[in-house]
Amino acid sequence: MPKDTLTLPTATAFADDVLSHLRVTLAKRASGATRHDWRVALSLAIRDRVVEPWLASVDRTYAANGKRVYYLSLEFLIGRLIEDVTINLGLEDVAREAMESLGQDYQSLVAEEPDAALGNGGLGRLAACFMDSLSTLGIPAHGYGIRYEHGLFEQHFKGGVQIETAEAWLAEHHVWEFERPEVRYDIGFGGHVDYDAEGRATWHPAEEVIAQGYDTPTVGWQAAWVNTLRLWAAKPIVHFDLEAFNRGDFIGATASEALARTLSRVLYPDDTTEQGRTLRLKQEYFFVAASLRDLLRRHLFEGHALSELPDHVAIQLNDTHPALAGPELIRLLVDEHGMAFAEAMRTARACLGYTNHTLLPEALERWSEGLMKQVLPRHYAIICLLNMESLDETGIAILENGSVKMGELAFFMAHKVNGVSALHTELVKETLFADLHRSYPDRIVNQTNGVTPRRWIHSANPALSSLITETIGEGWVSDLERLRELEPHVGTASFDEAFAVAKRANKARLSDWVARETGMALDPDAMFDIQIKRIHEYKRQLLNILETVALWNEIRDDPNGGWTPRVKIFGGKAAPGYVMAKSIIRLINDVAETVNADPVTRHLLRVVYPENYNVSMAERLIPACDLSEQISTAGKEASGTGNMKLSLNGALTVGTLDGANVEIREHVGAENFFLFGLTADEVGARRTRPGHARAAIEASPRLKRVLGQIANGLFSGGEARYGDILGMLWDTDYFLVTADFDSYYDIQRQIDVAYRDRAEWTRKAALQTARMGWFSSDRTIAGYAKDIWGAKSLL
């Protein structure tokens, strides 16, 4: 739908809609309305504008009688929606003017909206970008996940230590969703399986909950298409056991409700305990089972035969979390619909695609056979049959040493398996699934990740977005490769000056926010050096903070050495049970406290670590970034999407040849990328050398000095609290922080010199934006549709 055909209300009419919701929906007068009331009324007035295109998209999907995409993901990190939806509706100017006419500041209401706590990091944000692109391209799709009551967790620091508290995003009604009480499925766990004389199985679960759907519309660009994100909340079969209550068993009376709420309460429960592992397995089955029943119901409602399922259904597994979709779809087809096992396996396989997101063995889930048999006895029996099929076809076991290997299960049950960057896909073929790849040489394909330009430049960076539109015109937001049209303008005085002004405005805005949040004053003219991502050893925030200490030492040794002022900004959470990652967080905060208090260096070096990194914080940090830290151990990052967002917004990258860094460097030019460190092949070779970590430290006086300072408690009040980090670095250092330290330190000093030539830095930064159009999630989704799903746009 072309933008000029969109029917937009006047600001006056829209203000009337807001007032109507304030009065009729919230029963409030304008004179007594709180900021919360105004935000809810604004959200509902915007949501009203989504309903008609949403229903029209549903009608066109049914009329087309074609294929739908079902995207199964344990995370959907959608962030705040007011700004996202208004921009896709073309309504942002109208909404801003309307709220100003009502005496309300539109931007402050946007900022007050809670972030939906439905994800952790890149995996969930990728799923949200993909849903945006599916709608923008007009491909009929449902996203399926869990409606977490508390999500991951809210991060706070106490004495530098990460403290996790419950995220309360659903403490108030989520105004963007539509509750679907009629969409309910009974989901069972445990129990036993009976077999009749012909071998037909009947599963008798020991406990059951209800999965109820909640729908959030996902609006594409200019509202030409709207898809559905359906999230499942667990509800009890029996809300309250009155008989137990009357017996005095007050706790037992609510046991069913407690079980149900636990299932959809928290994302990634700590799985270091047996109870945590059981809950996590139940969660994964809960959302997969509800989603498959829902899509089968829709398929049968349309009058299709189950044998036609692959013609109408494409199911994408976002990592291994939904890997139970294979056994569950077979169970539904065999046990509930009478299909033969061999046909059910072929049918399920033709529907399923599997995206692998990691080369880390610990991230490829394994469940003990005992736990699987206890929680899902029928599925365990099906997995045993699939294991025999896999051994017959490939010689590869799905069951091994008492464990169910979920990566192998997902691979075996998918007709296509994709990596998420060119390097990652090759490593999946060569290392992770080498044996399976030899058996199915055409199954693995590459789909390099992308990010939505609607959220990550047009909405998050209006200053740069306006400059782009003024320079090349409209249309680039839905055709990001048009950014190449900027390149002839890069290097001209007028464009480069405007680009620099936009960047500095974003840095000033971030500085103001940091001052409000932390009381720390930042200089917007300093280099803003940013590393934002999940805290994990392979992402090497540790390498960054060790180099920070080394830089601090050098500045103290020579305060008048012509140093380039830097602000080091970290953002990210560590999993509650990940002890080493939490130690790294504490070290970063300890170093920050010392460095920021040093009168000799604090005008040249600051370290900032804001609490509770989320989508909204990313939208502040990314447009303000000068230097993007993408420093993972080569061969460990599957792709990354933060690297794309930062580069798209004009940040230069310092990084290893890992994940999508390889392709980013190819697109922006090697001369515009700060490369350091070992390659993936060199990483493998270095690990085989006995004592490689100790040798690297001994060969680097600068690093040895830093480690000695940490060991002596310089950053921890004399307390020797980092024995775990130091022991790992001296003894094993699997992620090769020590091996890459000197290379990293040296490239950072080259970056210091490069940043001092501000005109040349601005030119290189502008080229990042001009050359990053290929990394749109629209391009990625078009690739999935063509190579994996066989799905077509209905626009």
Side-chain angles (χ1 to χ4, degrees):
M1 183 185 300
K3 186 170 184 178
D4 57 9
T5 67
L6 285 171
T7 303
L8 297 178
T10 65
T12 301
F14 188 78
D16 289 342
D17 291 344
V18 174
L19 289 172
S20 176
H21 274 296
L22 198 63
R23 184 177 183 86
V24 177
T25 309
L26 301 178
K28 289 288 186 76
R29 298 186 187 279
S31 59
T34 64
R35 284 167 56 84
H36 170 267
D37 297 328
W38 283 112
R39 175 173 56 78
V40 171
L42 168 63
S43 300
L44 291 171
I46 298 166
R47 195 185 77 165
D48 288 348
R49 298 276 164 180
V50 174
V51 172
E52 283 306 318
W54 190 16
L55 294 176
S57 299
V58 172
D59 292 343
R60 290 171 68 180
T61 301
Y62 276 104
N65 200 27
K67 181 174 276 193
R68 289 180 175 87
V69 173
Y70 296 99
Y71 196 81
L72 274 59
S73 179
L74 206 57
E75 299 183 36
F76 284 95
L77 199 55
I78 58 177
R80 294 169 174 163
L81 291 179
I82 292 177
E83 204 161 31
D84 191 54
V85 176
T86 54
I87 281 174
N88 276 338
L89 288 172
L91 198 61
E92 65 270 32
D93 293 337
V94 170
R96 183 176 285 105
E97 184 181 342
M99 298 316 294
E100 288 174 358
S101 74
L102 295 170
Q104 302 299 312
D105 180 64
Y106 172 77
Q107 209 58 47
S108 66
L109 295 177
V110 169
E112 191 184 74
E113 183 181 10
D115 271 53
L118 298 168
N120 175 25
L123 185 80
R125 188 51 234 172
L126 181 76
C129 286
F130 280 6
M131 288 300 297
D132 175 279
S133 288
L134 282 160
S135 293
T136 292
L137 295 180
I139 298 172
H142 275 69
Y144 281 124
I146 296 178
R147 181 180 179 267
Y148 301 104
E149 186 176 343
H150 297 298
L152 185 64
F153 58 82
E154 193 169 288
Q155 178 195 57
H156 301 282
F157 298 136
K158 185 175 182 180
V161 176
Q162 174 177 289
I163 304 297
E164 302 98 19
T165 60
E167 175 64 67
W169 78 284
L170 276 181
E172 60 179 70
H173 174 63
H174 183 45
V175 298
W176 295 101
E177 70 184 4
F178 290 77
E179 184 175 1
R180 304 299 193 193
E182 76 283 6
V183 181
R184 297 161 68 89
Y185 302 98
D186 293 351
I187 309 297
F189 306 100
H192 66 280
V193 180
D194 289 335
Y195 296 90
D196 65 16
E198 272 127 28
R200 286 189 295 267
T202 302
W203 178 26
H204 302 279
E207 56 185 10
E208 290 184 303
V209 299
I210 294 170
Q212 181 179 316
Y214 289 78
D215 290 352
T216 300
T218 302
V219 185
W221 179 237
Q222 299 180 351
W225 193 268
V226 183
N227 281 317
T228 302
L229 174 61
R230 176 162 286 179
L231 301 177
W232 301 106
K235 307 283 185 178
I237 297 285
V238 178
H239 279 274
F240 184 73
D241 187 340
L242 183 60
E243 182 182 350
F245 185 85
N246 288 335
R247 291 198 310 268
D249 185 5
F250 305 136
I251 295 176
T254 60
S256 178
E257 184 174 8
L259 167 66
R261 286 193 67 192
T262 299
L263 275 174
S264 54
R265 191 181 292 252
V266 174
L267 168 66
Y268 298 141
D270 185 353
D271 59 2
T272 59
T273 66
E274 186 67 21
Q275 296 92 330
R277 286 189 290 275
T278 301
L279 175 58
R280 185 155 166 177
L281 179 59
K282 285 182 174 181
Q283 282 184 324
E284 292 182 4
Y285 175 66
F286 166 77
F287 102 90
V288 162
S291 304
L292 292 179
R293 291 187 198 191
D294 197 48
L295 68 87
L296 281 179
R297 174 198 58 77
R298 191 174 295 110
H299 178 79
L300 295 171
F301 173 78
E302 290 185 291
H304 305 304
L306 286 174
S307 59
E308 299 173 323
L309 199 66
D311 298 328
H312 298 277
V313 167
I315 304 167
Q316 192 67 29
L317 311 181
N318 192 26
D319 218 358
T320 57
H321 310 125
L324 285 166
E328 172 65 2
L329 187 50
I330 290 173
R331 187 191 73 80
L332 291 169
L333 293 174
V334 172
D335 295 0
E336 298 191 9
H337 296 281
M339 189 179 284
F341 183 88
E343 183 184 359
M345 189 179 80
R346 287 194 301 271
T347 301
R349 207 182 233 179
C351 295
L352 292 167
Y354 161 48
T355 301
N356 175 271
H357 283 285
T358 184
L359 296 166
L360 298 174
E362 67 270 21
L364 285 177
E365 294 176 309
R366 290 186 177 219
W367 300 107
S368 74
E369 291 188 52
L371 181 61
M372 185 68 72
K373 190 173 185 179
Q374 172 194 333
V375 175
L376 299 169
R378 176 58 179 142
H379 300 78
Y380 176 71
I382 291 171
I383 290 169
C384 288
L385 293 175
L386 294 175
N387 182 57
M388 289 190 288
E389 294 284 347
S390 180
L391 287 169
D392 286 344
E393 286 187 25
T394 70
I396 308 301
I398 294 170
L399 301 176
E400 184 176 75
N401 299 324
S403 295
V404 183
K405 300 188 293 183
M406 303 305 280
E408 281 75 4
L409 175 62
F411 191 112
F412 182 71
M413 283 305 302
H415 72 283
K416 289 292 182 185
V417 175
N418 73 280
V420 289
S421 72
L423 174 64
H424 171 242
T425 298
E426 290 308 306
L427 290 172
V428 168
K429 291 177 181 179
E430 295 167 7
T431 61
L432 192 66
F433 293 129
D435 293 336
L436 285 164
H437 175 56
R438 280 191 287 272
S439 297
Y440 308 112
D442 299 324
R443 187 166 296 185
I444 300 176
V445 297
N446 181 56
Q447 299 295 338
T448 297
N449 283 344
V451 300
T452 168
R454 271 76 61 186
R455 169 78 74 161
W456 291 111
I457 186 166
H458 189 56
S459 174
N461 197 343
L464 181 54
S465 177
S466 296
L467 175 60
I468 295 169
T469 300
E470 289 167 11
T471 306
I472 64 173
E474 297 184 346
W476 61 271
V477 179
S478 57
D479 183 7
L480 199 61
E481 294 206 53
R482 282 196 56 202
L483 291 181
R484 276 283 181 179
E485 296 172 26
L486 292 173
E487 195 157 344
H489 301 273
V490 175
T492 65
S494 58
F495 181 83
D496 287 6
E497 182 180 349
F499 191 93
V501 166
K503 176 64 74 173
R504 196 186 188 285
N506 289 325
K507 293 172 70 174
R509 185 167 66 98
L510 177 60
S511 298
D512 291 343
W513 178 79
V514 169
R516 291 195 302 272
E517 294 294 312
T518 70
M520 187 185 304
L522 302 181
D523 177 7
D525 290 318
M527 182 198 305
F528 280 19
D529 172 351
I530 296 180
Q531 187 175 18
I532 42 175
K533 51 189 75 240
R534 176 168 53 98
I535 307 300
H536 196 288
E537 287 171 273
Y538 89 82
K539 294 180 184 288
R540 299 203 296 189
Q541 288 90 352
L542 181 57
L543 176 61
N544 191 343
I545 198 62
L546 294 178
E547 188 275 335
T548 303
V549 175
L551 174 59
W552 177 66
N553 286 333
E554 299 289 336
I555 297 173
R556 284 183 60 84
D557 291 346
D558 183 14
N560 300 313
W563 300 99
T564 299
R566 271 192 198 233
V567 178
K568 289 266 195 176
I569 302 176
F570 294 83
K573 301 177 181 179
Y578 194 170
V579 175
M580 182 64 76
K582 294 176 84 169
S583 289
I584 292 168
I585 287 176
R586 191 176 191 186
L587 177 61
I588 294 169
N589 282 319
D590 276 352
V591 169
E593 186 173 358
T594 300
V595 168
N596 294 337
D598 187 343
V600 175
T601 64
R602 63 187 178 194
H603 65 295
L604 294 171
L605 180 63
R606 291 293 186 108
V607 181
V608 184
Y609 195 160
E611 296 177 328
N612 203 41
Y613 177 67
N614 57 18
V615 174
S616 297
M617 190 188 297
E619 290 173 324
R620 295 180 185 277
L621 294 174
I622 287 170
C625 181
D626 293 308
L627 183 67
S628 166
E629 297 273 351
Q630 307 300 328
I631 60 176
S632 52
T633 310
K636 289 302 179 185
E637 184 72 82
S639 172
T641 53
N643 49 3
M644 300 172 191
K645 295 164 195 164
L646 288 154
S647 188
L648 181 64
N649 282 271
L652 275 67
T653 301
V654 55
T656 53
L657 287 177
D658 196 28
N661 286 358
V662 176
E663 289 152 285
I664 290 174
R665 184 170 178 262
E666 290 171 355
H667 279 261
V668 303
E671 70 279 8
N672 301 312
F673 187 104
F674 296 107
L675 178 66
F676 78 97
L678 301 174
T679 65
D681 288 341
E682 290 167 341
V683 164
R686 181 64 60 92
R687 286 202 187 104
T688 65
R689 295 186 193 174
H692 67 85
R694 183 169 295 273
I697 295 170
E698 294 291 356
S700 174
R702 186 177 284 115
L703 175 58
K704 192 172 183 181
R705 178 185 181 185
V706 170
L707 298 183
Q709 290 170 320
I710 294 170
N712 293 332
L714 178 62
F715 304 103
S716 50
E719 179 185 340
R721 63 172 64 132
Y722 294 111
D724 53 351
I725 292 175
L726 295 167
M728 176 272 293
L729 289 174
W730 278 96
D731 295 336
T732 56
D733 189 19
Y734 180 79
F735 296 106
L736 299 176
V737 169
T738 55
D740 275 349
F741 178 83
D742 282 344
S743 175
Y744 181 58
Y745 183 88
D746 290 343
I747 197 69
Q748 290 287 11
R749 301 294 72 78
Q750 293 176 40
I751 292 167
D752 283 339
V753 174
Y755 189 74
R756 289 199 286 272
D757 185 346
R758 300 301 290 276
E760 178 62 9
W761 184 279
T762 297
R763 188 188 70 83
K764 288 176 176 288
L767 285 174
Q768 306 288 313
T769 300
R771 295 176 177 177
M772 282 295 293
W774 189 78
F775 293 92
S776 168
S777 52
D778 298 347
R779 184 267 313 155
T780 310
I781 287 299
Y784 274 92
K786 176 179 176 289
D787 300 335
I788 298 175
W789 302 329
K792 297 187 185 318
S793 169
L794 295 186
L795 289 178

